[in-house]
């Protein structure tokens, strides 16, 4: 796929984006959920080899290339690896799936009810390498935990500032100011966050587009206007700790948003499953998430 073909696939595709980007501290937890205990690997290289084997098994599953998955977010080591005998981004595009790359370096300590992203001085170099490998866009996450105007504005402004760096590298950024779904003031805070996002979009130069990855809102339809905004290529939803069924139920109430789930996609997969069982389990999750995304 060319860049323009990938743009069209993301803008109009009837499907969802798979999040295969667990990294660092989240990898052992993801492996345990997959049925691989900590004592089966030793050191970071073996850990990442295990998670890459899981991701490659997903990518090569027949159901993953059935057209319902339109994009996949990768961890850097996954981008640099192979699947099906080819570089992962090339293999994904061969299967009709647009590759994205997680580029943030983790979170700062909480301040004003938000965790901003850590500094990322090597972002441009990483984006250049990703583009050479055929990656279309990026994803970066910060977390908002309370309806604090200072924290909300700081998180959203940082997302747009880093997004400008990524756009300058020729990639499309997914901005992800995640609002904690357990926050007691989520409805009010998400409304305040929406205002900050709209301010960021108004300041974005004409002709540029970003994507948004947001928690499924407490108020259904809150982000519908964003899904129609000319500077927004697509609005995707994170599962945020919901189970697959819960995430799909909430997502279906939000027209225009499509899924970008990790836990909601992978929660029932196990290393011990035979290929037929693995593919059937993954396929069932893909079908549920696809149905909620196009509802």
């Amino acid at each position: 796929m060319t860049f323009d073909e990938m743009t069209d696939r993301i803008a109009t595709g009837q499907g969802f984006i798979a999040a295969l980007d667990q990294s660092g501290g989240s990898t052992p937890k993801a492996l345990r959920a997959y049925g691989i205990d900590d004592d089966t690997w030793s050191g970071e290289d073996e850990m990442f080899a295990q998670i890459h084997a899981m991701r490659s098994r997903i990518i090569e599953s027949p159901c993953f290339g059935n057209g319902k998955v339109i994009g996949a977010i990768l961890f850097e080591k996954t981008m640099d690896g192979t699947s099906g005998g080819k570089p992962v981004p090339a293999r994904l595009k061969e299967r009709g799936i647009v590759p994205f790359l997680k580029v943030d370096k983790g979170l700062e300590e909480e301040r004003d009810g938000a965790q901003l992203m850590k500094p990322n001085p090597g972002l441009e170099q990483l984006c250049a390498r990703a583009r050479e490998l055929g990656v279309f866009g990026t994803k970066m996450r910060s977390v908002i935990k309370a309806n604090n105007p200072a924290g909300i504005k700081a998180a959203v402004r940082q997302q747009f500032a880093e997004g400008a760096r990524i756009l300058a590298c020729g990639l499309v950024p997914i901005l992800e100011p995640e609002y904690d779904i357990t926050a007691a003031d989520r409805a009010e805070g998400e409304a305040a966050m929406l205002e900050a996002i709209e301010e960021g979009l108004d300041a974005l130069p004409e002709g540029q587009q970003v994507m948004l990855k947001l928690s499924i809102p407490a108020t259904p339809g809150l982000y519908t206007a964003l899904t129609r905004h000319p500077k927004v290529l697509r609005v995707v939803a994170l599962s945020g700790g919901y189970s697959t069924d819960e995430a799909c139920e909430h997502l279906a109430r939000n027209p225009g948003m499509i899924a970008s789930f990790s836990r909601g996609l992978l929660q029932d997969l196990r290393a011990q499953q035979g290929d037929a069982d693995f593919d059937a389990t993954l396929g069932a999750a893909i079908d549920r998430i696809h149905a909620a995304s196009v509802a």
Side-chain angles (χ1 to χ4, degrees):
M1 287 188 285
T2 66
F3 190 86
D4 288 344
E5 288 171 338
M6 290 191 285
T7 301
D8 182 68
R9 178 75 169 140
I10 293 301
T12 66
Q14 295 298 297
F16 68 95
I17 296 173
L20 306 177
D21 59 335
Q22 301 94 344
S23 61
S26 65
T27 300
K29 181 179 178 181
L31 286 173
R32 287 192 292 271
Y34 184 51
I36 297 178
D37 295 331
D38 295 359
D39 59 7
T40 63
W41 51 267
S42 176
E44 190 173 89
D45 288 345
E46 289 187 13
M47 178 184 73
F48 284 123
Q50 294 274 19
I51 200 77
H52 184 77
M54 180 192 80
R55 291 167 178 160
S56 182
R57 193 179 186 191
I58 292 166
I59 291 167
E60 296 305 319
S61 176
C63 61
F64 200 70
N66 65 7
K68 296 180 179 180
V69 180
I70 63 172
I73 303 171
L74 308 173
F75 176 52
E76 184 179 350
K77 286 183 179 291
T78 309
M79 177 188 75
D80 291 334
T82 61
S83 186
K86 297 182 179 180
V88 169
R91 179 58 174 153
L92 287 172
K93 291 196 287 184
E94 188 176 72
R95 309 210 75 196
I97 299 167
V98 177
F100 293 82
L101 175 66
K102 168 185 156 56
V103 295
D104 67 78
K105 300 301 181 185
L107 299 172
E108 299 274 21
E109 294 297 319
E110 183 177 339
R111 181 179 180 183
D112 296 328
Q115 286 184 276
L116 273 61
M117 297 179 289
K118 292 180 178 179
N120 195 351
L123 179 61
E124 284 79 8
Q125 291 80 4
L126 179 58
C127 287
R129 187 157 58 82
R131 189 172 183 186
E132 288 177 0
L133 288 168
V135 168
F136 172 76
T138 65
K139 189 219 78 163
M140 51 193 174
R141 169 179 172 264
S142 46
V143 178
I144 297 169
K145 298 187 174 183
N147 182 20
N148 182 313
I152 289 172
K153 289 180 180 179
V156 172
R157 287 171 180 168
Q158 184 192 42
Q159 286 281 339
F160 275 95
E162 295 296 274
R165 296 172 65 189
I166 292 161
L167 285 163
C169 296
L171 299 177
V172 176
I174 299 176
L175 312 183
E176 185 185 1
E178 174 184 349
Y179 208 105
D180 186 344
I181 64 170
T182 67
D185 59 5
R186 181 158 68 105
E188 298 82 4
E190 287 175 338
M193 186 179 73
L194 173 59
E195 292 184 9
I197 290 172
E198 289 173 334
E199 290 176 5
L201 291 171
D202 288 342
L204 196 67
E206 291 298 324
Q208 291 189 349
Q209 285 186 309
V210 298
M211 295 175 63
L212 297 166
K213 182 168 179 176
L214 306 171
S215 303
I216 304 169
T219 304
L222 179 67
Y223 301 132
T224 299
L226 293 177
T227 70
R228 301 169 181 160
H229 197 291
K231 294 180 182 178
V232 178
L233 183 63
R234 205 76 191 253
V235 180
V236 304
L238 57 103
S239 50
Y242 286 131
S243 69
T244 305
D245 289 341
E246 289 172 328
C248 289
E249 179 183 347
H250 290 296
L251 177 61
R253 300 175 188 151
N254 289 272
M257 291 185 81
I258 65 171
S260 178
F261 293 171
S262 175
R263 175 182 171 180
L265 176 65
L266 310 176
Q267 69 174 28
D268 296 322
L269 298 178
R270 300 293 181 270
Q272 295 78 15
Q273 290 169 323
D275 288 345
D277 189 17
F278 182 92
D279 294 340
T281 302
L282 178 60
I286 286 173
D287 289 346
R288 287 199 298 275
I289 297 168
H290 176 264
S293 295
V294 302

Short mmCIF file of all heavy atoms in Angstrom, two decimals, residues 3 7 103 123-124 127-128 131 136-138 140 159-175 200-201 203-211 231-233:
data_model
loop_
_atom_site.label_atom_id
_atom_site.label_comp_id
_atom_site.label_asym_id
_atom_site.label_seq_id
_atom_site.Cartn_x
_atom_site.Cartn_y
_atom_site.Cartn_z
N PHE A 3 1.28 5.47 0.65
CA PHE A 3 0.85 6.31 1.76
C PHE A 3 -0.59 6.77 1.55
O PHE A 3 -1.40 6.77 2.49
CB PHE A 3 1.78 7.52 1.89
CG PHE A 3 1.57 8.31 3.15
CD1 PHE A 3 2.20 7.96 4.33
CD2 PHE A 3 0.73 9.41 3.16
CE1 PHE A 3 2.00 8.68 5.50
CE2 PHE A 3 0.52 10.14 4.32
CZ PHE A 3 1.15 9.77 5.49
N THR A 7 -3.80 6.06 3.88
CA THR A 7 -4.65 7.14 4.37
C THR A 7 -6.12 6.83 4.13
O THR A 7 -6.97 6.97 5.02
CB THR A 7 -4.28 8.47 3.70
OG1 THR A 7 -2.91 8.77 3.96
CG2 THR A 7 -5.15 9.61 4.22
N VAL A 103 5.51 5.45 20.03
CA VAL A 103 6.76 6.22 20.07
C VAL A 103 7.03 6.88 21.42
O VAL A 103 8.13 7.42 21.61
CB VAL A 103 6.79 7.31 18.96
CG1 VAL A 103 6.79 6.67 17.58
CG2 VAL A 103 5.62 8.29 19.11
N LEU A 123 12.91 11.36 18.99
CA LEU A 123 11.66 11.09 18.26
C LEU A 123 11.84 11.19 16.75
O LEU A 123 11.36 10.33 16.00
CB LEU A 123 10.58 12.06 18.73
CG LEU A 123 9.21 11.94 18.04
CD1 LEU A 123 8.61 10.57 18.26
CD2 LEU A 123 8.26 13.04 18.55
N GLU A 124 12.51 12.22 16.28
CA GLU A 124 12.66 12.39 14.83
C GLU A 124 13.43 11.25 14.20
O GLU A 124 13.08 10.77 13.10
CB GLU A 124 13.34 13.73 14.52
CG GLU A 124 12.44 14.95 14.67
CD GLU A 124 12.24 15.39 16.11
OE1 GLU A 124 12.93 14.85 17.01
OE2 GLU A 124 11.42 16.29 16.36
N CYS A 127 11.13 8.23 14.04
CA CYS A 127 10.13 8.41 12.98
C CYS A 127 10.74 8.20 11.59
O CYS A 127 10.10 7.60 10.71
CB CYS A 127 9.50 9.79 13.07
SG CYS A 127 8.36 10.01 14.45
N ALA A 128 11.95 8.67 11.39
CA ALA A 128 12.60 8.48 10.09
C ALA A 128 12.82 7.00 9.81
O ALA A 128 12.59 6.52 8.68
CB ALA A 128 13.93 9.24 10.06
N ARG A 131 9.46 5.37 9.01
CA ARG A 131 8.97 5.69 7.66
C ARG A 131 9.71 4.86 6.61
O ARG A 131 9.11 4.40 5.63
CB ARG A 131 9.13 7.18 7.38
CG ARG A 131 8.43 7.60 6.10
CD ARG A 131 8.40 9.08 5.90
NE ARG A 131 7.68 9.42 4.69
CZ ARG A 131 7.56 10.64 4.19
NH1 ARG A 131 8.13 11.65 4.83
NH2 ARG A 131 6.89 10.86 3.08
N PHE A 136 3.01 3.97 8.72
CA PHE A 136 2.13 5.07 8.33
C PHE A 136 2.04 6.15 9.40
O PHE A 136 2.03 7.34 9.10
CB PHE A 136 0.73 4.53 8.02
CG PHE A 136 -0.31 5.59 7.80
CD1 PHE A 136 -0.35 6.30 6.60
CD2 PHE A 136 -1.27 5.87 8.77
CE1 PHE A 136 -1.31 7.28 6.39
CE2 PHE A 136 -2.24 6.84 8.56
CZ PHE A 136 -2.26 7.55 7.35
N GLY A 137 1.93 5.73 10.65
CA GLY A 137 1.69 6.70 11.71
C GLY A 137 2.25 6.25 13.04
O GLY A 137 2.90 5.20 13.16
N THR A 138 1.99 7.03 14.07
CA THR A 138 2.53 6.79 15.40
C THR A 138 1.42 6.85 16.43
O THR A 138 0.31 7.30 16.15
CB THR A 138 3.59 7.83 15.76
OG1 THR A 138 2.94 9.12 15.86
CG2 THR A 138 4.70 7.91 14.73
N MET A 140 1.08 7.77 20.85
CA MET A 140 1.75 8.16 22.10
C MET A 140 0.68 8.46 23.14
O MET A 140 -0.33 9.07 22.85
CB MET A 140 2.66 9.36 21.88
CG MET A 140 1.98 10.51 21.20
SD MET A 140 3.13 11.76 20.63
CE MET A 140 2.00 12.85 19.75
N GLN A 159 0.44 16.63 23.76
CA GLN A 159 0.10 15.71 22.68
C GLN A 159 0.18 16.41 21.32
O GLN A 159 0.75 15.88 20.36
CB GLN A 159 -1.30 15.13 22.90
CG GLN A 159 -1.39 14.09 23.99
CD GLN A 159 -0.90 12.73 23.55
OE1 GLN A 159 -0.84 12.42 22.36
NE2 GLN A 159 -0.54 11.89 24.51
N PHE A 160 -0.39 17.60 21.22
CA PHE A 160 -0.36 18.33 19.94
C PHE A 160 1.05 18.80 19.60
O PHE A 160 1.44 18.81 18.42
CB PHE A 160 -1.33 19.52 19.98
CG PHE A 160 -2.74 19.14 19.62
CD1 PHE A 160 -3.66 18.85 20.61
CD2 PHE A 160 -3.14 19.06 18.29
CE1 PHE A 160 -4.97 18.49 20.29
CE2 PHE A 160 -4.44 18.70 17.95
CZ PHE A 160 -5.36 18.41 18.95
N ALA A 161 1.84 19.18 20.60
CA ALA A 161 3.21 19.61 20.33
C ALA A 161 4.05 18.46 19.79
O ALA A 161 4.80 18.61 18.82
CB ALA A 161 3.84 20.18 21.61
N GLU A 162 3.93 17.28 20.42
CA GLU A 162 4.65 16.12 19.92
C GLU A 162 4.10 15.67 18.57
O GLU A 162 4.83 15.21 17.70
CB GLU A 162 4.57 14.97 20.94
CG GLU A 162 5.25 15.25 22.26
CD GLU A 162 6.75 15.42 22.11
OE1 GLU A 162 7.48 14.42 22.12
OE2 GLU A 162 7.19 16.59 21.97
N GLY A 163 2.78 15.83 18.40
CA GLY A 163 2.18 15.52 17.10
C GLY A 163 2.74 16.36 15.98
O GLY A 163 2.93 15.88 14.85
N ALA A 164 3.04 17.63 16.26
CA ALA A 164 3.63 18.51 15.24
C ALA A 164 5.00 18.00 14.82
O ALA A 164 5.37 18.07 13.62
CB ALA A 164 3.72 19.93 15.79
N ARG A 165 5.77 17.50 15.76
CA ARG A 165 7.08 16.93 15.43
C ARG A 165 6.93 15.71 14.51
O ARG A 165 7.71 15.52 13.57
CB ARG A 165 7.83 16.52 16.70
CG ARG A 165 8.19 17.65 17.62
CD ARG A 165 8.75 17.14 18.96
NE ARG A 165 10.03 16.44 18.78
CZ ARG A 165 10.63 15.76 19.75
NH1 ARG A 165 10.04 15.62 20.94
NH2 ARG A 165 11.80 15.17 19.53
N ILE A 166 5.92 14.91 14.80
CA ILE A 166 5.70 13.70 14.00
C ILE A 166 5.19 14.04 12.61
O ILE A 166 5.64 13.46 11.61
CB ILE A 166 4.71 12.78 14.76
CG1 ILE A 166 5.39 12.24 16.03
CG2 ILE A 166 4.23 11.64 13.88
CD1 ILE A 166 4.43 11.73 17.07
N LEU A 167 4.28 14.99 12.51
CA LEU A 167 3.79 15.43 11.20
C LEU A 167 4.93 15.96 10.34
O LEU A 167 4.97 15.72 9.13
CB LEU A 167 2.72 16.50 11.38
CG LEU A 167 1.34 16.02 11.85
CD1 LEU A 167 0.51 17.19 12.38
CD2 LEU A 167 0.61 15.32 10.70
N ALA A 168 5.88 16.64 10.97
CA ALA A 168 7.03 17.17 10.23
C ALA A 168 7.91 16.06 9.67
O ALA A 168 8.67 16.28 8.73
CB ALA A 168 7.85 18.09 11.14
N CYS A 169 7.79 14.87 10.24
CA CYS A 169 8.56 13.71 9.76
C CYS A 169 7.80 12.93 8.68
O CYS A 169 8.31 11.91 8.18
CB CYS A 169 8.88 12.77 10.92
SG CYS A 169 9.96 13.49 12.17
N GLY A 170 6.60 13.37 8.35
CA GLY A 170 5.84 12.71 7.30
C GLY A 170 4.98 11.56 7.75
O GLY A 170 4.51 10.76 6.93
N LEU A 171 4.74 11.45 9.06
CA LEU A 171 3.88 10.40 9.60
C LEU A 171 2.63 11.02 10.22
O LEU A 171 2.60 12.20 10.54
CB LEU A 171 4.63 9.59 10.66
CG LEU A 171 5.89 8.84 10.21
CD1 LEU A 171 6.55 8.15 11.39
CD2 LEU A 171 5.57 7.84 9.11
N VAL A 172 1.61 10.21 10.39
CA VAL A 172 0.34 10.68 10.96
C VAL A 172 0.29 10.27 12.43
O VAL A 172 0.31 9.08 12.75
CB VAL A 172 -0.86 10.09 10.21
CG1 VAL A 172 -2.17 10.51 10.89
CG2 VAL A 172 -0.86 10.53 8.75
N PRO A 173 0.21 11.24 13.36
CA PRO A 173 0.21 10.88 14.78
C PRO A 173 -1.18 10.54 15.31
O PRO A 173 -2.17 11.19 14.97
CB PRO A 173 0.73 12.16 15.45
CG PRO A 173 0.26 13.26 14.54
CD PRO A 173 0.27 12.69 13.15
N ILE A 174 -1.23 9.49 16.13
CA ILE A 174 -2.40 9.23 16.96
C ILE A 174 -2.14 9.89 18.30
O ILE A 174 -1.21 9.49 19.02
CB ILE A 174 -2.65 7.73 17.16
CG1 ILE A 174 -2.90 7.03 15.81
CG2 ILE A 174 -3.86 7.52 18.07
CD1 ILE A 174 -3.06 5.52 15.94
N LEU A 175 -2.93 10.90 18.66
CA LEU A 175 -2.80 11.57 19.93
C LEU A 175 -3.67 10.83 20.94
O LEU A 175 -4.87 10.63 20.70
CB LEU A 175 -3.25 13.03 19.83
CG LEU A 175 -2.70 13.86 18.65
CD1 LEU A 175 -3.18 15.30 18.75
CD2 LEU A 175 -1.18 13.79 18.57
N GLY A 200 -6.77 22.65 20.24
CA GLY A 200 -5.58 22.15 19.54
C GLY A 200 -5.83 21.95 18.06
O GLY A 200 -4.97 22.26 17.22
N LEU A 201 -6.99 21.45 17.70
CA LEU A 201 -7.33 21.26 16.29
C LEU A 201 -7.46 22.60 15.56
O LEU A 201 -7.03 22.73 14.42
CB LEU A 201 -8.63 20.47 16.18
CG LEU A 201 -8.56 19.00 16.61
CD1 LEU A 201 -9.96 18.40 16.65
CD2 LEU A 201 -7.65 18.19 15.68
N ALA A 203 -5.81 25.21 16.12
CA ALA A 203 -4.46 25.76 15.91
C ALA A 203 -3.64 24.95 14.92
O ALA A 203 -2.57 25.40 14.49
CB ALA A 203 -3.72 25.83 17.25
N LEU A 204 -4.12 23.79 14.53
CA LEU A 204 -3.38 22.93 13.60
C LEU A 204 -3.41 23.56 12.21
O LEU A 204 -4.47 23.99 11.74
CB LEU A 204 -4.04 21.54 13.57
CG LEU A 204 -3.24 20.38 12.98
CD1 LEU A 204 -2.02 20.07 13.86
CD2 LEU A 204 -4.13 19.15 12.88
N PRO A 205 -2.27 23.64 11.52
CA PRO A 205 -2.25 24.25 10.19
C PRO A 205 -3.22 23.57 9.23
O PRO A 205 -3.45 22.37 9.30
CB PRO A 205 -0.79 24.05 9.74
CG PRO A 205 -0.01 23.94 11.01
CD PRO A 205 -0.92 23.23 11.97
N GLU A 206 -3.78 24.34 8.33
CA GLU A 206 -4.69 23.80 7.33
C GLU A 206 -3.98 22.73 6.50
O GLU A 206 -2.80 22.87 6.17
CB GLU A 206 -5.20 24.91 6.41
CG GLU A 206 -6.12 25.91 7.08
CD GLU A 206 -7.41 25.28 7.59
OE1 GLU A 206 -7.92 24.36 6.92
OE2 GLU A 206 -7.88 25.71 8.65
N GLY A 207 -4.70 21.69 6.18
CA GLY A 207 -4.14 20.61 5.38
C GLY A 207 -3.51 19.50 6.19
O GLY A 207 -3.19 18.45 5.63
N GLN A 208 -3.33 19.71 7.49
CA GLN A 208 -2.77 18.66 8.34
C GLN A 208 -3.89 17.93 9.07
O GLN A 208 -4.92 18.51 9.41
CB GLN A 208 -1.78 19.25 9.36
CG GLN A 208 -0.51 19.78 8.74
CD GLN A 208 0.54 20.15 9.77
OE1 GLN A 208 0.27 20.20 10.97
NE2 GLN A 208 1.75 20.40 9.32
N GLN A 209 -3.67 16.63 9.30
CA GLN A 209 -4.63 15.82 10.02
C GLN A 209 -3.92 14.98 11.09
O GLN A 209 -2.79 14.54 10.88
CB GLN A 209 -5.38 14.87 9.07
CG GLN A 209 -6.43 15.53 8.20
CD GLN A 209 -7.21 14.51 7.39
OE1 GLN A 209 -6.62 13.66 6.72
NE2 GLN A 209 -8.52 14.59 7.44
N VAL A 210 -4.61 14.78 12.18
CA VAL A 210 -4.15 13.87 13.23
C VAL A 210 -5.24 12.83 13.46
O VAL A 210 -6.36 12.95 12.95
CB VAL A 210 -3.85 14.62 14.54
CG1 VAL A 210 -2.74 15.63 14.34
CG2 VAL A 210 -5.12 15.29 15.09
N MET A 211 -4.90 11.81 14.21
CA MET A 211 -5.89 10.87 14.71
C MET A 211 -5.98 11.04 16.22
O MET A 211 -5.07 11.57 16.85
CB MET A 211 -5.49 9.44 14.34
CG MET A 211 -5.50 9.18 12.85
SD MET A 211 -4.87 7.52 12.42
CE MET A 211 -6.08 6.46 13.23
N LYS A 231 -9.85 18.09 10.33
CA LYS A 231 -8.45 17.90 10.70
C LYS A 231 -8.23 16.60 11.47
O LYS A 231 -7.14 16.36 11.97
CB LYS A 231 -7.95 19.09 11.52
CG LYS A 231 -7.90 20.40 10.73
CD LYS A 231 -7.40 21.55 11.57
CE LYS A 231 -7.41 22.86 10.78
NZ LYS A 231 -6.95 24.01 11.62
N VAL A 232 -9.26 15.77 11.55
CA VAL A 232 -9.17 14.48 12.25
C VAL A 232 -9.37 13.36 11.24
O VAL A 232 -10.44 13.26 10.62
CB VAL A 232 -10.21 14.37 13.37
CG1 VAL A 232 -10.13 12.99 14.04
CG2 VAL A 232 -10.00 15.46 14.41
N LEU A 233 -8.35 12.54 11.05
CA LEU A 233 -8.45 11.43 10.10
C LEU A 233 -9.37 10.35 10.63
O LEU A 233 -10.18 9.79 9.88
CB LEU A 233 -7.06 10.86 9.81
CG LEU A 233 -6.98 9.74 8.78
CD1 LEU A 233 -7.44 10.23 7.40
CD2 LEU A 233 -5.55 9.19 8.68
#
